[in-house]
Amino acid sequence: MDKLDYERKHYNNGAKWVAGVDEVGRGPLAGPVVCCAVIMPKDQIIEGVDDSKKLNEKKRNALAEIIKQKAVCYHIAEVWQEEIDKINILNAVKKCMTMAVEGLEIKPDITLVDGVDTGLSINAEYLIKGDAKSHTIGCASILAKVYRDNLMIEFAKEYPEYAFEKHKGYGTKVHIDKIKEIGPCKLHRKTFIKNFWVEQAKREQENT
């Protein structure tokens, strides 16, 4: 499959600008959800762009610099853990994606969105596994992932005991053990940790 198929469809239907948007950080126990919206040059593919999770850190970082240089425009938005706890993660992702698209210097005619239809208040086409199908979404995925990873690496300096630089806030054994030992910090999503303990208790009960 040509990773510009979806973009070309909209350009051929009269769109002047096609954006892609993706999120990173839906699942971690700590830190923000981050979304990036980007408009890339028409009919140009950057070799190696793919779902950011399929790329190693070195490759992602290198591609992120190329994408930023070549992008027509891009915008990165964050929704932090306090708001995630207040409005839940689905609404946080919807808000974050909308902020990212609305923050673009150029208003897109259509935005390709990774995932299922969540009713965003933008003109959108939703693509399941879109970061692997669409070059533009793939670019957004890489920029969002590199940005969030760098945020968590910086927070590791402030909270070295949690080793955020290693797991970026995801629920690894090292991270869970540290939360059990010293408790959460202000970066942790209280609702996520509560739900994690509830689910863990259920699993332990089922295994007894």
Side-chain angles (χ1 to χ4, degrees):
M1 176 184 170
D2 187 333
K3 289 191 176 182
L4 287 176
D5 278 353
Y6 293 98
E7 288 85 343
R8 288 198 184 103
K9 175 184 71 174
H10 292 292
Y11 283 125
N12 291 338
N13 286 335
K16 184 177 180 181
W17 301 109
V18 177
V21 66
D22 200 5
E23 59 79 21
V24 174
R26 186 187 293 254
L29 301 177
V33 62
V34 170
C35 296
C36 178
V38 63
I39 298 175
M40 299 302 294
K42 187 177 178 181
D43 289 328
Q44 291 185 30
I45 280 187
I46 298 171
E47 191 66 33
V49 167
D50 202 343
D51 173 358
S52 64
K53 297 183 291 296
K54 296 178 180 178
L55 304 170
N56 62 42
E57 183 178 3
K58 183 178 179 181
K59 184 67 172 177
R60 279 197 305 267
N61 288 340
L63 283 170
E65 291 305 310
I66 297 171
I67 293 165
K68 287 188 282 188
Q69 291 169 12
K70 292 185 175 293
V72 175
C73 61
Y74 69 93
H75 185 75
I76 294 173
E78 310 148 345
V79 173
W80 290 85
Q81 61 279 350
E82 297 92 347
E83 191 160 8
I84 292 172
D85 284 334
K86 289 178 183 177
I87 66 175
N88 76 45
I89 188 61
L90 176 59
N91 286 325
V93 169
K94 290 169 66 174
K95 179 176 181 176
C96 192
M97 283 189 166
T98 302
M99 289 166 57
V101 175
E102 291 181 345
L104 289 169
E105 293 177 4
I106 298 171
K107 181 176 180 177
D109 301 291
I110 183 77
T111 299
L112 303 175
V113 181
D114 183 44
V116 298
D117 187 343
T118 53
L120 295 178
S121 58
I122 56 174
N123 189 21
E125 179 180 8
Y126 298 85
L127 304 176
I128 296 174
K129 296 184 178 179
D131 44 9
K133 296 176 181 177
S134 159
H135 179 260
T136 310
I137 296 178
C139 289
S141 170
I142 291 168
L143 291 185
K145 172 67 173 169
V146 169
Y147 181 88
R148 189 182 188 280
D149 282 359
N150 288 338
L151 271 181
M152 298 309 292
I153 290 169
E154 285 301 307
F155 279 124
K157 298 174 184 177
E158 187 175 353
Y159 302 98
E161 60 273 24
Y162 295 99
F164 286 131
E165 76 281 3
K166 295 181 179 178
H167 51 70
K168 312 303 188 294
Y170 285 86
T172 64
K173 185 179 185 304
V174 170
H175 190 190
I176 295 301
D177 288 347
K178 189 53 68 172
I179 296 172
K180 287 179 179 178
E181 179 186 346
I182 63 175
C185 70
K186 71 175 186 179
L187 283 177
H188 285 99
R189 304 172 183 177
K190 294 181 176 63
T191 52
F192 275 50
I193 291 176
K194 179 181 178 181
N195 291 337
F196 180 87
W197 297 147
V198 169
E199 290 301 317
Q200 185 179 59
K202 285 181 181 178
R203 288 193 296 270
E204 289 174 353
Q205 188 174 22
E206 289 170 357
N207 292 329
T208 56

